[in-house]
């Protein structure tokens, strides 16, 4: 895939959409990246000082900034807020991930921003939501996930809960729910002509991801003891197993016909093959599977189960996933800018998304950015001279 220039990708389903992104960490920047790769013009507002002291990434690999126009604005000064409001007058979408009240204290809250542009879609993403007893409390993905019930359900029986990276609350409950809200609001605006405020909470978003489990719990087909259920490693036929070389495979053969294939190829003793859902056999079945799996390497098992329906797969690292033949065939990962990363997703049949890269000099030039929002050259020069905008 070719790398599209920031601000003018020329392709994708969101070409013509203008988004202002208030710089932050994690889920909001991922939303900004996705919007940019779908064709939106995304202008990222950064503050003059960067107090980020962890997870520093060099510009070449910093996907939090790729594909954006970068505008540095001193938001501590009233003129800075006034400048952002002028940008929002011509924007379609704002996304921000500050704690409740921060944008209001900056003079950029939705009441002010939307009064100047009633069609503005104002996307707000926080851990706990805009209201409630925890709304202003600090936290990160794991903190938010702890309040959903999902973290308690992840891990092996008798062991502690396992942090699932920051995929569930930050990116699943956060980024993806924010994106869902934005796109739904854009559709509604196409009929009403009006924007609205989206209150996306990572606690609520991650809870929504877990909605089916609440139904299982109500039905009595799930219990709240970790590692004791169908999909949480409670069964021996839905778990990970260590191989002879210290790596792992997954066994995920829930249906009897898939389990029968596993039992035939592994092989398993006939008494297990005929008693998949007999819980009284599960401890012995798990031990038998584990003993067999330890007799071959991960890649030997992968070769043995290749082309079968036993639902056995190797546990791959990120690097191995990018090199896997299936992912290579579909070009699911791309190498651009000197590193490999996932291809923009999802795919579109007509309006293909574009890969985006490091912002160019033009994409970081305040005068060029402001000109596209209707600022004159003299206005841009004055803002730079007064220190309202910088590079």
């Amino acid at each position: 895939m070719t790398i599209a220039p920031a601000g003018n990708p020329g392709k994708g389903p969101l070409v013509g959409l203008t988004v202002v992104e208030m710089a932050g960490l994690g889920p909001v920047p991922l939303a900004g990246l996705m919007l940019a790769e779908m064709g939106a013009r995304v202008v990222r507002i950064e503050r003059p000082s960067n107090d980020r002291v962890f997870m520093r990434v060099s510009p070449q690999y910093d996907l939090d900034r790729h594909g954006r126009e970068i505008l540095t604005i001193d938001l501590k000064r009233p003129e800075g807020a006034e400048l952002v409001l002028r940008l929002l007058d011509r924007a379609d979408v704002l996304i921000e991930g500050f704690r409740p009240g921060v944008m209001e204290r900056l003079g950029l809250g939705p009441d002010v921003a939307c009064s100047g542009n009633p069609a503005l879609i104002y996307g707000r993403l926080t851990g706990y939501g805009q209201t409630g007893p925890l709304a202003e409390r600090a936290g990160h993905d794991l903190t938010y996930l702890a309040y959903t019930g999902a973290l308690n359900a992840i891990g092996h029986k008798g062991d502690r809960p396992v942090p699932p990276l920051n995929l569930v609350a930050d990116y699943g409950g956060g980024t993806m729910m924010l994106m869902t809200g934005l796109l739904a609001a854009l559709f509604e605006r196409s009929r009403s002509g009006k924007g609205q405020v989206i209150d996306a909470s990572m606690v609520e978003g991650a809870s929504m991801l877990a909605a089916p489990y609440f139904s299982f719990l109500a039905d009595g087909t799930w219990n709240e003891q970790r590692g004791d259920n169908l999909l949480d490693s409670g069964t021996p036929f839905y778990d990970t197993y260590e191989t002879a070389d210290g790596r792992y495979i997954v066994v995920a053969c829930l249906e009897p016909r898939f389990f029968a294939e596993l039992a035939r190829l592994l092989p398993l003793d006939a008494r297990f093959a005929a008693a998949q859902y007999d819980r009284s056999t599960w401890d012995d079945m798990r031990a038998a599977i584990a003993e067999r799996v330890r007799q071959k390497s991960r890649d030997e098992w992968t070769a043995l189960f290749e082309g079968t329906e036993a639902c056995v797969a190797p546990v791959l690292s990120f690097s191995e996933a990018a090199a896997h033949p299936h992912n290579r065939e579909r070009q699911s990962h791309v190498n651009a800018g000197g590193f490999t990363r996932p291809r923009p997703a999802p795919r579109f049949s007509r309006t293909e998304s574009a890969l985006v890269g490091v912002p160019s000099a033009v994409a970081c030039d305040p005068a060029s950015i402001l000109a596209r929002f209707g600022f004159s050259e003299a206005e841009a020069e004055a803002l730079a001279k007064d220190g309202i905008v910088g590079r």
Side-chain angles (χ1 to χ4, degrees):
M1 298 182 71
T2 57
I3 299 179
N8 185 28
K11 59 192 307 187
L14 298 182
V15 167
L17 189 78
T18 299
V19 178
V20 172
E21 172 193 341
M22 305 302 292
L25 297 174
V28 169
L30 181 58
L33 176 70
M34 294 179 68
L35 291 165
E37 293 188 328
M38 290 182 191
R41 177 193 182 193
V42 182
V43 180
R44 178 177 164 96
I45 307 299
E46 297 185 344
R47 302 195 190 197
S49 61
N50 183 356
D51 59 357
R52 183 172 172 180
V53 295
F54 63 97
M55 298 291 287
R56 290 184 182 273
V57 181
S58 62
Q60 180 181 1
Y61 309 124
D62 192 357
L63 294 177
D64 283 3
R65 302 177 91 234
H66 283 195
R68 278 72 143 198
E69 297 170 60
I70 309 296
L71 191 58
T72 302
I73 301 178
D74 186 352
L75 296 177
K76 293 182 179 179
R77 297 171 61 178
E79 298 91 337
E82 292 172 9
L83 171 56
V84 174
L85 289 174
R86 284 189 61 181
L87 302 180
L88 294 179
D89 284 346
R90 294 198 176 197
D92 296 291
V93 172
L94 167 77
I95 54 176
E96 62 96 355
F98 300 136
R99 289 197 221 181
V102 171
M103 289 291 280
E104 284 81 355
R105 289 192 291 274
L106 292 171
L108 298 172
D111 290 346
V112 177
C114 297
S115 66
N117 180 2
L120 181 68
I121 295 169
Y122 198 114
R124 318 193 77 172
L125 177 59
T126 58
Y128 305 106
Q130 295 295 315
T131 60
L134 296 177
E136 296 190 25
R137 183 176 294 184
H140 286 294
D141 169 277
L142 199 58
T143 322
Y144 311 138
L145 194 58
Y147 284 98
T148 68
L151 180 60
N152 183 68
I154 300 173
H156 282 91
K157 189 172 184 177
D159 207 345
R160 59 183 179 172
V162 177
L165 301 183
N166 64 327
L167 296 175
V168 180
D170 266 3
Y171 297 133
T175 302
M176 298 307 166
M177 292 300 175
L178 176 62
M179 289 289 292
T180 300
L182 293 176
L183 299 178
L186 284 167
F187 173 76
E188 194 281 335
R189 190 182 71 176
S190 72
R191 296 183 298 170
S192 69
K194 298 178 182 179
Q196 58 185 306
V197 180
I198 299 165
D199 177 3
S201 152
M202 287 177 244
V203 169
E204 292 170 351
S207 295
M208 188 64 201
L209 296 177
Y213 294 93
F214 283 81
S215 70
F216 301 156
L217 190 63
D219 186 55
T221 55
W222 193 271
N223 70 72
E224 297 194 282
Q225 182 175 340
R226 184 168 49 259
D228 195 47
N229 297 280
L230 186 64
L231 301 174
D232 63 355
S233 77
T235 68
F237 44 86
Y238 198 88
D239 204 352
T240 60
Y241 289 91
E242 186 173 4
T243 57
D245 54 350
R247 294 193 279 183
Y248 293 85
I249 61 170
V250 298
V251 171
C253 44
L254 296 174
E255 294 85 349
R257 66 188 179 95
F258 297 154
F259 180 76
E261 187 80 338
L262 172 78
R264 179 179 71 84
L265 292 169
L266 201 57
L268 275 180
D269 187 276
R271 68 188 180 95
F272 296 129
Q276 179 182 4
Y277 278 93
D278 180 354
R279 292 184 72 105
S280 68
T281 70
W282 283 0
D283 287 344
D284 290 341
M285 184 189 297
R286 189 186 305 276
I289 294 174
E291 181 181 1
R292 285 291 298 136
V293 171
R294 281 194 296 267
Q295 294 176 16
K296 295 181 186 293
S297 71
R298 185 197 67 178
D299 292 346
E300 286 175 323
W301 285 119
T302 300
L304 177 67
F305 285 102
E306 186 74 26
T308 74
E309 293 196 336
C311 301
V312 173
V315 176
L316 303 178
S317 68
F318 288 130
S319 299
E320 288 175 320
H324 189 273
H326 175 82
N327 292 331
R328 286 206 314 269
E329 173 71 22
R330 284 183 54 82
Q331 297 182 319
S332 300
H333 297 74
V334 292
N335 192 302
F339 78 111
T340 300
R341 51 149 294 193
R343 178 194 183 107
R347 302 188 187 199
F348 299 89
S349 62
R350 289 189 300 102
T351 55
E352 183 184 6
S353 297
L355 189 70
V356 295
V358 179
S360 65
V362 173
C364 296
D365 176 48
S368 298
I369 298 170
L370 293 174
R372 296 181 63 184
F373 282 91
F375 286 76
S376 68
E377 185 177 342
E379 287 179 302
E381 288 180 357
L383 288 166
K385 183 179 179 180
D386 292 342
I388 306 302
V389 298
R391 293 191 69 116

